[in-house]
């Protein structure tokens, strides 16, 4: 190394010199220095994004929890009034399945839209439209005679009576489906862009991405836990589950306004030559279809043509499916058939959200100890076996304490999933961030996340309907109705339905198969045979964008220390 003036110390060091100095322990990746990891613009955008995401999550928990409980109760009531065999969970499964399926449209739209308008605009408008359609369902209920739950209603009405929910509107319960489907489009856009926008805010440095993803996820699940518990313990008992999501359009509107104040995140329009000579209407219609197909093609091609990415299908899509089915498919069955109150499913979901909070917090604290998603995915595969106990669990109905017990068992399950999800999302964002300019019309990152998300959606949409139908069929068997007194427990209500034989298959067997597939997938990437791999394919993604930054950002605490180190070495030359 040749001697040069001290004033030019920061300009004459080569990248090899920088890499050598970076091998020393740097405070840049320390836990206490996390906030200093980001520059002023990134801090501002992260703060605004977190504020909006908390409003969104709180409103979302109120909406989803209320709507699933509402549909469960209404379909049971409809069957009782008509004197027919109830197919409650088949219809609820179809409702949630279609909701997931329509998310596919929203998530696929994100990849081409990311090249044409700022992500903050997409995010703001999507959540605003979502809020409008949740308000429409409230208006329909009120217009057909629905009202806020009268005070003292539970004390004056028998829960076994079909009129127990007499404050519901008189509309056809199937009318919920089209409104929920349109909400699914907006929900799919919001959920997918949540997995893409961190890369736009902080770039492709995997250290920054892991920190931001886990940091955001902590506040996201904090709001989700609060929203689930507030819905189950406050909103539904006070308003009734037909009106308890009255706060949702308010929260969504404020979230939309909040996100609008983010910067454009260095967004630049894409110069696409796609059908440039066609009329605007033809270009919009044909271009949209073409980009839809191209997005799916690009995402599928990246995933299926490389060992580096193929393991993401079970690692991300199947893991997400198992987690969502646990919350949206299993929790309502346990709440309604085991415990006797559909509203208590939100207590169970609240426990799941708390587990996600702990998982994200753990990744945030130990991001330097677990550098790849592999260990977290293996933990997720093991934790998903916990619900086997539900097959053998007999409890009397009507005790809310049992809902809290189930919620406690969901905490470690969601802990494993959230840790894997945060780490895996950061890994994919960093790995594909470098390829953003290789395809002009479709973002590779957006295309891959769209394909993974749509794989989960299609899996859930198909499975939830048929599994719900199976649960109803088992519950409607004569030997599983009016079961009387199980061993060592008090008498159950005369209308009690035993669905444990169905839980054996839809929970025990299904989750065991998922666990095996997910566990095997973690051994596919090169370098993943170790218990806790330090990198995959020899790629050090955390230094991709940060080496030059360490030299130039001397104003940060870590940068100042680095500058002093450089100046010290300069004086000694």
């Amino acid at each position: 190394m040749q001697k040069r003036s001290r004033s030019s110390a920061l300009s004459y060091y080569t990248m090899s010199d920088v890499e050598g100095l970076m091998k020393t322990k740097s405070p840049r990746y320390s836990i206490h220095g996390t906030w200093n990891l980001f520059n002023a613009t990134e801090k501002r955008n992260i703060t605004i994004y977190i504020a909006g995401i908390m409003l969104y999550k709180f409103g979302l928990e109120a909406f989803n929890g209320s709507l699933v409980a509402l549909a469960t109760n209404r379909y049971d009531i409809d069957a009782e009034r008509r004197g027919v065999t109830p197919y409650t969970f088949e219809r609820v499964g179809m409702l949630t399945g279609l909701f997931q399926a329509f998310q596919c449209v929203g998530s696929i739209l994100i990849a081409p839209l990311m090249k044409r308008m700022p992500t903050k605009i997409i995010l703001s408008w999507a959540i605003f439209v979502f809020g409008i359609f949740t308000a429409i369902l409230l208006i329909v209920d009120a217009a057909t005679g629905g009202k806020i739950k009268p005070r003292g209603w539970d004390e004056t009405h028998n829960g076994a009576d079909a009129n127990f929910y007499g404050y519901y509107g008189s509309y056809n319960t199937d009318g919920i489906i089209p409104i929920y489907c349109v909400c699914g489009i907006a929900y799919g856009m919001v959920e997918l862009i949540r997995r893409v926008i961190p890369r736009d805010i902080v770039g492709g440095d995997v250290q920054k991405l892991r920190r931001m993803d886990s940091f955001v996820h902590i506040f996201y699940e904090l709001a989700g836990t609060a929203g689930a518990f507030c819905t189950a313990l406050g909103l539904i008992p006070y308003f009734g589950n037909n009106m308890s999501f009255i706060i949702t359009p308010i929260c969504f509107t404020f979230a939309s306004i909040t996100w609008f104040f983010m910067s454009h995140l260095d967004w630049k329009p894409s110069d696409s030559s796609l059908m440039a000579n066609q009329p605007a209407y033809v270009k919009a219609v044909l271009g949209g279809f073409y980009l839809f197909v191209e997005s799916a093609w690009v995402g599928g091609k990246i995933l299926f043509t490389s060992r580096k990415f193929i393991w993401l299908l079970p690692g991300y899509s199947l893991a997400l499916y198992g987690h969502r089915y646990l919350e949206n498919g299993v929790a309502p069955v346990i709440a309604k058939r085991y415990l006797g109150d559909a509203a208590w499913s939100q207590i169970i979901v609240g426990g799941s959200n708390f587990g996600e909070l702990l998982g994200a917090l753990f990744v945030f604290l130990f991001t330097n100890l677990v550098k790849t998603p592999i260990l977290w995915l293996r933990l997720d595969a093991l934790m998903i076996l916990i619900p086997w106990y539900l097959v053998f669990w007999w409890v009397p109905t009507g005790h809310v304490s049992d809902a809290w017990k189930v919620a406690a068992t969901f905490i470690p399950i969601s802990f494993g999933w959230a840790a894997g999800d945060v780490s895996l999302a950061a890994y994919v964002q960093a790995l594909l961030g470098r390829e953003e300019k290789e395809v002009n019309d479709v973002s590779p990152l957006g295309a891959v996340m769209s394909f993974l998300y749509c794989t989960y959606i299609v899996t859930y949409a198909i499975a939830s309907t048929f599994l719900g139908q199976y649960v109803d069929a088992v519950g409607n068997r004569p030997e599983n109705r009016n079961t009387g007194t199980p061993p060592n427990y008090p008498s159950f209500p005369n209308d009690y339905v035993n669905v444990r034989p169905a839980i054996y298959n839809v929970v025990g067997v299904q989750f065991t198969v998922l666990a095996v597939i997910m566990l095997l997938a973690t051994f596919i990437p090169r370098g993943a045979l170790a218990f806790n791999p330090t990198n995959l394919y020899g790629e050090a993604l955390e230094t991709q964008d940060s080496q030059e930054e360490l030299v130039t950002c001397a104003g940060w605490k870590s940068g100042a220390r680095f500058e002093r180190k450089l100046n010290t070495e300069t004086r000694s030359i």
Side-chain angles (χ1 to χ4, degrees), residues 20-282:
L21 291 174
M22 285 181 64
K23 291 180 181 178
T24 61
K25 186 176 180 180
S26 170
R28 182 176 186 270
Y29 293 158
S30 67
I31 296 172
H32 299 292
T34 292
W35 193 237
N36 289 330
L37 191 66
F38 308 104
N39 61 38
T41 301
E42 290 169 347
K43 290 177 182 178
R44 177 182 179 274
N45 286 327
I46 291 172
T47 302
I48 294 173
Y49 179 64
I50 288 176
I53 209 73
M54 292 184 72
L55 288 167
Y56 161 70
K57 182 61 173 176
F58 192 92
L60 182 67
E61 287 299 332
F63 178 67
N64 283 338
S66 300
L67 203 67
V68 170
L70 176 65
T72 301
N73 288 337
R74 289 185 66 102
Y75 280 121
D76 267 357
I77 292 170
D78 289 347
E80 183 179 344
R81 286 175 176 171
R82 291 186 232 167
V84 298
T85 302
Y87 287 97
T88 300
F89 293 105
E90 175 187 350
R91 306 299 285 180
V92 171
M94 184 181 70
L95 175 70
T96 57
L98 287 173
F99 179 68
Q100 302 288 344
F102 274 85
Q103 291 178 42
C104 185
V105 179
S107 63
I108 286 291
L109 286 175
I110 288 300
L113 284 177
M114 284 171 59
K115 293 288 186 178
R116 283 160 173 73
M117 62 179 66
T119 48
K120 74 164 190 177
I121 300 297
I122 305 171
L123 199 56
S124 293
W125 278 106
I127 194 64
F128 183 71
V129 171
F130 198 171
I132 290 175
F133 279 94
T134 61
I136 288 176
L137 192 57
L138 292 169
I139 294 170
V140 169
D141 187 83
T144 55
K147 54 188 177 183
I148 293 175
K149 183 179 179 180
R151 304 282 73 78
W153 182 271
D154 293 342
E155 289 75 20
T156 57
H157 291 76
N158 184 356
D161 185 2
N163 293 321
F164 182 63
Y165 301 102
Y167 50 87
Y168 286 176
S170 59
Y171 62 91
N172 190 319
T173 305
D174 288 335
I176 296 175
I177 295 176
I179 297 176
Y180 208 38
C181 288
V182 176
C183 290
I185 297 176
Y187 181 67
M189 297 180 72
V190 174
E191 284 298 296
L192 183 67
I193 207 166
R194 274 205 316 113
R195 290 160 170 79
V196 174
I197 201 171
R199 191 279 325 276
D200 295 336
I201 293 177
V202 300
D205 182 358
V206 75
Q207 272 285 346
K208 281 187 174 183
L209 286 169
R210 271 204 300 257
R211 297 285 187 174
M212 180 186 168
D213 282 341
S214 56
F215 196 56
V216 170
H217 209 107
I218 289 168
F219 286 97
Y220 180 76
E221 294 307 334
L222 187 63
T225 303
F229 288 149
C230 285
T231 301
L233 303 177
L235 295 174
I236 291 180
Y238 188 85
F239 292 102
N241 47 33
N242 61 322
M243 291 288 180
S244 54
F245 54 98
I246 194 170
I247 65 167
T248 299
I250 299 173
C251 288
F252 284 4
T253 300
F254 279 111
S256 176
I257 295 171
T258 301
W259 281 331
F260 189 79
F261 286 98
M262 285 194 297
S263 68
H264 284 292
L265 308 177
D266 296 325
W267 176 84
K268 295 180 181 179
S270 173
D271 295 327
S272 174
S273 59
L274 178 66
M275 290 174 287
N277 297 325
Q278 297 294 328
Y281 178 77
V282 175

Side-chain angles (χ1 to χ4, degrees), residues 18 48 88 95 140 220 257 271 334 345 358 380 399 418 435 445 473 484 502 533 554 571:
V18 174
I48 294 173
T88 300
L95 175 70
V140 169
Y220 180 76
I257 295 171
D271 295 327
I334 300 303
S345 66
L358 295 180
D380 186 19
H399 295 273
E435 300 181 21
L445 174 59
R571 289 193 297 269

